[in-house]
Amino acid sequence: HSSKNTMIQQRKTDIQHIFEKYDLDKSGELSMHELTLALNDLGQSVDSTQLEHVFQKVDTNCNSLVSLVEFEQIFAESQLLNVFHEIDVDQSGHITILELERAFGKLGIWIPTPQLQRMLQKVDDDRDGRVSYSEFESFFRSVPMADLSSIAERWMSSGNVDVGSDLVPSLPTTTTKASLPLWQFVVAGGMGGTVSRTMTAPLEFVKLQAQ
C-alpha cells in the first residue's frame, strides 16, 4: 500500500507541475484551451464534448477558468471517462455484460456469467441491465489513478469475487477451446495480473499436445 500511496503522491506532483506549465500568465487558473493542452500532456485524450461536460461539473464558481483543485477533479474524471469508453466497445453510452466480460478478458481474467451479472447489478442503479456513465462515475469516482486494471480490481471486490480461489479452484482438466480463458487466468495470476496476448497461441498448442 505504501508504494501505491507513493505513486498517488507522485501523480499529484506531476499534475501540479503540468498545471503550472500551462498556466502561462501565472494566474493560478487555466482557460479551456490551456486545460486541453494540459490534459493531453498527462496522456488524457478527451474530446471537446466530454471536456465541456466535465468542465461544467467542476467549474463551481462559473468563471470559465479552472483552478488547481478543479484541474485535479477534471483529471480524475477524464481518467474514468477513458476507462468507461475502453469498456464500452460499441460506444453506445452503456456497458453491457458482454462488454464487461470482454474487458476482463483483455486483462486475462475469466469470470463466470452469474458472477458478472452480480457485479453489473452492483453498479446498475436503475436496474436496466446495463451501466451508464453516470452510474459508473458515481460508483468508481473514489478510485485513485483509475485505469482498466484498478477499476476491474474494485469491481471484483464489490461483487465478492475472490480471484485467488473462487475463479480457479484447480487447473482445467478439459482440452476444449472453451477452457482456454481459465488457462489464461491462471497464467495472469502468476504474473501479477498481466498476461501477454502472445501467450494464447502457445497455451493452445499445449492443449492440443495434451489431447
Side-chain angles (χ1 to χ4, degrees):
H1 280 291
S2 60
S3 63
K4 181 80 170 176
N5 290 337
T6 304
M7 285 172 65
I8 293 168
Q9 191 54 52
Q10 181 60 51
R11 198 54 165 161
K12 282 180 75 83
T13 304
D14 291 344
I15 290 169
Q16 187 169 348
H17 286 161
I18 294 291
F19 181 88
E20 290 166 356
K21 175 181 173 182
Y22 288 98
D23 179 18
L24 303 177
D25 58 2
K26 305 304 173 196
S27 63
E29 294 175 310
L30 299 182
S31 66
M32 179 73 88
H33 176 64
E34 290 168 337
L35 172 63
T36 305
L37 294 174
L39 285 174
N40 287 341
D41 206 336
L42 283 163
Q44 299 299 304
S45 54
V46 182
D47 70 39
S48 56
T49 308
Q50 293 169 354
L51 191 57
E52 189 74 42
H53 170 72
V54 177
F55 188 87
Q56 287 173 356
K57 282 181 67 174
V58 303
D59 184 24
T60 49
N61 55 7
C62 301
N63 67 348
S64 297
L65 295 169
V66 174
S67 67
L68 176 58
V69 173
E70 290 171 334
F71 181 59
E72 288 174 345
Q73 290 176 287
I74 287 173
F75 175 69
E77 182 147 355
S78 69
Q79 285 184 303
L80 269 184
L81 263 170
N82 283 344
V83 177
F84 182 84
H85 288 306
E86 189 176 352
I87 301 173
D88 178 25
V89 178
D90 65 1
Q91 302 302 303
S92 66
H94 292 88
I95 293 172
T96 63
I97 194 161
L98 182 60
E99 288 172 327
L100 187 59
E101 183 179 34
R102 284 176 180 165
F104 280 105
K106 282 175 70 174
L107 296 171
I109 300 172
W110 180 83
I111 297 176
T113 302
Q115 286 182 317
L116 280 172
Q117 287 172 331
R118 285 206 303 274
M119 288 164 61
L120 195 82
Q121 286 165 3
K122 284 279 184 181
V123 188
D124 178 23
D125 288 335
D126 64 7
R127 296 290 183 263
D128 67 349
R130 54 190 189 164
V131 174
S132 66
Y133 177 68
S134 62
E135 291 169 331
F136 184 84
E137 190 269 339
S138 175
F139 194 86
F140 295 111
R141 65 169 62 129
S142 63
V143 177
M145 297 195 306
D147 57 19
L148 185 58
S149 180
S150 61
I151 292 296
E153 188 180 330
R154 175 65 62 87
W155 214 329
M156 286 190 293
S157 64
S158 76
N160 297 321
V161 176
D162 182 353
V163 177
S165 58
D166 285 356
L167 299 184
V168 193
S170 62
L171 285 173
T173 53
T174 60
T175 55
T176 62
K177 184 152 183 163
S179 68
L180 187 60
L182 267 178
W183 278 86
Q184 268 191 275
F185 181 80
V186 172
V187 174
M191 293 178 61
T194 58
V195 61
S196 166
R197 291 179 185 279
T198 57
M199 284 187 176
T200 307
L203 286 172
E204 201 159 355
F205 177 73
V206 168
K207 288 180 173 305
L208 290 171
Q209 293 292 92
Q211 283 180 342

